[in-house]
Amino acid sequence: MTLDINDIQKILPHRYPFLMIDAVLEMERLKRIVGIKNVTINENYFAGHFPGKPVMPGVLIIESMAQAGGVLLLQEVPDRDSKLLYFVAIDDARFRRPVVPGDQLRVEVDVLSWRGTFCKLAGKASVNGQLAAEATLMCKMVDRDP
């Protein structure tokens, strides 16, 4: 299953400038998703991170993993417009190479477990087959307006 940016915006509540997934290339329900983030010099964070040597912040690479996982998980939630996914933990985060303008970030996320409102995900982000970052993410689904 593939999704374009319009499909993604029907699932995720995020919007520019904080939407970190541009397309979904693969998705296996309740198991795995592969998304793409096209990294361009137009991203607002490059103005300050770092002037003359732009590098995508590691926390935004982690966020792209979370958003890809959110697309996968929220597909399964019939009332997803009334839900949000919150981080509850990030474990074993490692950054292996810088991500710079012109890179295409390939984000792969696997569901490790999903019990009730809690989910544990394994995320990897790569550029041209080279691992850029990896982390284990935990999230909790909450009501948007409690």
Side-chain angles (χ1 to χ4, degrees), residues 33-101:
I33 190 167
V34 177
I36 293 295
K37 167 65 177 157
N38 294 306
V39 182
T40 71
I41 193 63
N42 298 329
E43 308 285 351
N44 59 3
Y45 48 81
F46 284 135
H49 198 268
F50 298 99
K53 183 76 172 159
V55 175
M56 184 176 186
V59 296
L60 296 182
I61 298 171
I62 299 289
E63 178 65 25
S64 70
M65 292 177 199
Q67 289 183 19
V71 170
L72 180 65
L73 298 175
L74 288 169
Q75 285 280 351
E76 305 300 322
V77 179
D79 60 341
R80 66 178 168 246
D81 291 339
S82 67
K83 303 293 182 187
L84 292 173
L85 288 169
Y86 283 172
F87 271 132
V88 294
I90 302 168
D91 291 334
D92 304 318
R94 298 287 182 267
F95 302 95
R96 308 292 184 189
R97 75 177 294 283
V99 176
V100 298

Side-chain angles (χ1 to χ4, degrees), residues 12-27:
L12 287 181
H14 305 79
R15 294 295 178 267
Y16 178 84
F18 210 73
L19 186 55
M20 299 291 156
I21 294 292
D22 294 321
V24 172
L25 303 179
E26 303 171 25
M27 187 161 42

